[in-house]
Amino acid sequence: GESVGLHLPTLSVQEGDNSIINCAYSNSASDYFIWYKQESGKGPQFIIDIRSNMDKRQGQRVTVLLNKTVKHLSLQIAATQPGDSAVYFCAENARDDKIIFGKGTRLHILP
Amino acid sequence: SAVISQKPSRDICQRGTSLTIQCQVDSQVTMMFWYRQQPGQSLTLIATANQGSEATYESGFVIDKFPISRPNLTFSTLTVSNMSPEDSSIYLCSVATSTDTQYFGPGTRLTVL
């Protein structure tokens, strides 16, 4: 997984626009990926997951894309709303039931 | 998804003391985990709580510092022993269902003075 940084990168998006949050993973053996949303003072909340036999999965207003060739994962949020403000973490599971978290991205919604 | 509760939600402790954090799930789950999240950072796995046997610790974490119990399939505790200010963090438990997905509790915010 990614190394933990001292500060979180921030993505600022206008309300109503689409958000794209990117994540790179390092373990080519990882076969299951999850995106979590963490609001201030709360635990991470499951958003969407994808297995390595897929390259795209859609949920309600969210889409996850997986590019195994370059070990890249992205989360797309359509029509971003104020309630989407949070820190977003990607996480990978390399077949041993342990989830490794990426360093996270803070999504800031502009009015 | 499982409903997970943690107690206490937050605490302020003196250095040298110990704090036990409880994690309760509303259904039986196969796997339970404990994570630490230092201020402004990502989550780091401390250990896997095994039902009926000793926990499995990750590199950098030891049983003497973070003893863990899991007496049944719905409950686990994590103790932070002999605390120092560097132990100030959010401690989170998570559970895994049969689908590999992990769900998290609300966390325990610990401040050590």
Side-chain angles (χ1 to χ4, degrees):
Chain A
E2 297 179 349
S3 61
V4 174
L6 295 178
H7 65 276
L8 296 172
T10 298
L11 174 66
S12 295
V13 175
Q14 203 76 39
E15 182 178 348
D17 286 352
N18 297 334
S19 302
I20 300 177
I21 302 171
N22 296 304
C23 174
Y25 64 94
S26 58
N27 190 342
S28 57
S30 294
D31 64 349
Y32 179 58
F33 304 88
I34 310 167
W35 279 100
Y36 288 95
K37 172 186 180 184
Q38 187 176 28
E39 296 174 280
S40 180
K42 297 183 179 180
Q45 175 189 356
F46 171 87
I47 301 174
I48 192 168
D49 59 359
I50 188 168
R51 296 199 178 271
S52 58
N53 61 351
M54 303 172 68
D55 54 19
K56 180 179 180 179
R57 190 162 188 228
Q58 287 185 291
Q60 187 176 18
R61 271 201 318 120
V62 294
T63 301
V64 55
L65 299 177
L66 175 62
N67 185 331
K68 294 182 287 295
T69 303
V70 296
K71 291 187 283 190
H72 184 268
L73 196 65
S74 69
L75 176 71
Q76 300 178 4
I77 305 173
T80 310
Q81 303 169 358
D84 296 325
S85 289
V87 177
Y88 290 81
F89 293 98
C90 65
E92 59 184 299
N93 184 331
R95 300 197 183 101
D96 60 357
D97 294 323
K98 296 176 188 175
I99 286 184
I100 306 299
F101 278 76
K103 61 184 177 183
T105 296
R106 185 180 303 278
L107 179 63
H108 178 60
I109 311 304
L110 302 169
Chain B
S1 63
V3 177
I4 305 161
S5 60
Q6 285 185 233
K7 289 181 182 178
S9 58
R10 58 177 62 230
D11 208 343
I12 301 173
C13 301
Q14 296 296 322
R15 70 171 67 208
T17 63
S18 298
L19 176 72
T20 296
I21 302 167
Q22 299 179 4
C23 178
Q24 179 75 54
V25 193
D26 68 342
S27 59
Q28 293 186 347
V29 293
T30 51
M31 308 285 284
M32 295 182 78
F33 304 89
W34 286 97
Y35 287 80
R36 181 175 73 183
Q37 186 176 26
Q38 294 178 304
Q41 296 195 20
S42 187
L43 284 75
T44 301
L45 180 63
I46 297 172
T48 303
N50 300 309
Q51 194 266 328
S53 64
E54 191 172 287
T56 305
Y57 290 85
E58 297 300 303
S59 176
F61 298 96
V62 295
I63 188 171
D64 289 345
K65 176 66 176 178
F66 297 102
I68 288 170
S69 78
R70 191 179 172 193
N72 56 52
L73 294 176
T74 64
F75 184 79
S76 178
T77 67
L78 167 76
T79 299
V80 186
S81 302
N82 188 26
M83 289 183 284
S84 67
E86 292 71 34
D87 294 320
S88 296
S89 283
I90 300 171
Y91 292 86
L92 298 131
C93 73
S94 73
V95 304
T97 64
S98 58
T99 60
D100 298 334
T101 305
Q102 283 190 27
Y103 298 94
F104 284 82
T108 295
R109 186 178 296 271
L110 172 62
T111 302
V112 184
L113 303 178

